[in-house]
Amino acid sequence: MRCTKCKGTAQVEVRRHHTAFCGPHFLEWFEAQVDRAVRRERMFTPQDRVLVAVSGGKDSLVLWDVLLRLGYQATGLHLNLGIGGYSQESQEKCEAFARDRGAELLVVDIPAEYGVGVEGLAQLTGRVACSACGLSKRYLFNRVAVDRGFDVVATAHNLDDEAAVLLGNLIAGNVDALVRQTPVLESTHPGLARKVKPLYRIAERETAAYAVLRGIDYVLDECPNSAGARSLLLKEALNLLERDAPGTKQSLYWNFLEKVRPLLRTASEPVALRSCVHCGQPTTAEVCAFCRMTERVARKLQSRVAVSAARREPVAASSGGGGGPA
Ligand code: AMP
Ligand code: ZN
Ligand code: ZN
């Protein structure tokens, strides 16, 4: 196979575009694709301050790398989710990436801020881990962006992610989610940041190829909680279609954006937002879902401390140690 541009030996085939590229021409093509998506959808300009949500995985570090190379002002935001060695390694990859490029990285350590990681937040409030994790991400991305005056939040959702989410939303008939599924989500409230997905036209295997060719060091492991997740099943189903009919994912998602979503826009009522009485973030309720979750957890953790202190007291008294609760 030959590179479409220079006729040299091709290293990466892009079947859905009927093209193939050598390494340097693939990198050039990839960056141009991202830049075109940013400009075409008016996501941001070089004057804007962009907060890039980086997990330490390939997609988000690739996104950050490309935005920096294209000359955008991109600051990283990493959330340490408190999922054992996986989270520690993820944070280290983000820090090493930032250090190598002299880029700014902000870190929110969820266990340090809220007493437990996302699995603990889930367990103590009767949720599944992915629901507590998703809620924490949505809340913290927005909060950091608004508090620190960023113009926009960029996440690394790619074509495979978006096509799988779309399929799931269609199966569930989730009209509100379909209306919100767009590469640019405008702010509808002063406390809500704009949200963009600059990789929405890029397939996952292309970000993997980019990461390898650029030597980007990322966490190879998937989140341990994602095993068996429905999103993986949907991705598998789409990969099966893609194998025999290249371009299926792209057609599904792009046709949805161009032809179907415009018809849906009026199908969803805009929701009235007010400020959470505890944190000030926009919400439909009096207290936002994140504050409800973290406050419930704080109460449970406090009562645990009280119980264990009460259990320790007689021991301390009998040993004459005289120590209060640790
Ligand atoms: P996910 O919710 O895991 O599908 O991730 C969606 C997007 O959120 C990714 O493309 C990243 O941009 C971002 N992201 C995921 N995990 C983290 C994290 N721990 N810290 C910061 N950003 C993240
Ligand atoms: Zn070439
Ligand atoms: Zn709140």
Side-chain angles (χ1 to χ4, degrees):
M1 219 184 354
R2 298 272 144 203
C3 170
T4 316
K5 283 264 171 92
C6 70
K7 309 298 172 214
T9 307
Q11 271 188 284
V12 188
E13 186 183 10
V14 184
R15 281 173 75 200
R16 66 199 163 87
H17 285 304
H18 310 290
T19 51
F21 299 104
C22 65
H25 281 127
F26 173 74
L27 295 173
E28 194 180 283
W29 172 83
F30 189 101
E31 286 164 17
Q33 286 283 312
V34 178
D35 205 23
R36 201 172 305 147
V38 169
R39 289 163 191 266
R40 198 179 115 145
E41 301 296 324
R42 299 174 197 273
M43 292 184 180
F44 43 81
T45 68
Q47 283 69 47
D48 289 325
R49 289 179 64 229
V50 185
L51 186 65
V52 189
V54 286
S55 64
K58 66 177 180 321
D59 297 319
S60 51
L61 290 182
V62 163
L63 172 60
W64 197 8
D65 184 85
V66 172
L67 294 184
L68 290 171
R69 284 175 189 278
L70 291 171
Y72 291 108
Q73 299 181 53
T75 295
L77 168 64
H78 177 70
L79 308 182
N80 185 315
L81 304 169
I83 308 176
Y86 167 74
S87 287
Q88 193 183 333
E89 196 192 343
S90 301
Q91 183 170 337
E92 283 165 8
K93 298 288 183 200
C94 294
E95 286 170 345
F97 179 99
R99 209 180 311 118
D100 288 351
R101 289 156 181 81
E104 187 187 16
L105 173 70
L106 307 174
V107 176
V108 177
D109 186 326
I110 293 182
E113 295 281 335
Y114 302 101
V116 283
V118 291
E119 290 161 315
L121 290 174
Q123 228 171 38
L124 292 169
T125 54
R127 294 168 178 266
V128 290
C130 297
S131 138
C133 186
L135 172 60
S136 305
K137 284 177 190 161
R138 283 191 299 280
Y139 179 89
L140 291 167
F141 292 168
N142 190 67
R143 177 143 195 197
V144 172
V146 171
D147 286 356
R148 292 181 174 251
F150 284 92
D151 296 290
V152 62
V153 176
T155 52
H157 295 92
N158 57 39
L159 180 58
D160 296 53
D161 297 325
E162 292 301 298
V165 169
L166 172 57
L167 186 56
N169 285 336
L170 288 170
I171 292 169
N174 193 344
V175 176
D176 289 341
L178 288 169
V179 172
R180 271 183 279 113
Q181 199 182 344
T182 153
V184 180
L185 196 57
E186 295 295 345
S187 165
T188 53
H189 184 279
L192 271 186
R194 288 179 84 227
K195 313 227 165 56
V196 299
K197 300 171 183 172
L199 299 185
Y200 82 101
R201 298 171 79 92
I202 304 274
E204 199 163 307
R205 62 182 288 277
E206 291 152 17
T207 62
Y210 184 94
V212 170
L213 288 168
R214 282 265 182 245
I216 293 174
D217 187 21
Y218 60 89
V219 191
L220 289 167
D221 292 339
E222 294 289 333
C223 169
N225 294 317
S226 72
R230 189 176 145 76
S231 57
L232 296 183
L233 184 66
L234 293 168
K235 279 189 178 175
E236 251 176 66
L238 289 169
N239 283 339
L240 192 65
L241 290 171
E242 187 79 21
R243 198 187 60 197
D244 291 335
T248 299
K249 283 179 224 175
Q250 177 175 301
S251 301
L252 172 68
Y253 186 46
W254 296 9
N255 282 331
F256 165 74
L257 289 179
E258 278 167 33
K259 298 177 189 163
V260 182
R261 191 177 166 273
L263 304 174
L264 286 180
R265 240 183 288 172
T266 51
S268 173
E269 291 285 316
V271 286
L273 292 175
R274 51 181 168 158
S275 297
C276 168
V277 294
H278 293 179
C279 73
Q281 290 275 292
T283 174
T284 51
E286 189 176 325
V287 178
C288 77
F290 185 79
C291 282
R292 287 201 305 271
M293 174 174 76
T294 48
E295 285 163 10
R296 212 172 135 194
V297 166
R299 280 194 300 274
K300 291 208 172 179
L301 292 176
Q302 253 167 10
S303 68
R304 275 190 191 174
V305 171
V307 168
S308 64
R311 283 201 188 120
R312 268 199 304 274
E313 227 144 66
V315 179
S318 67
S319 68

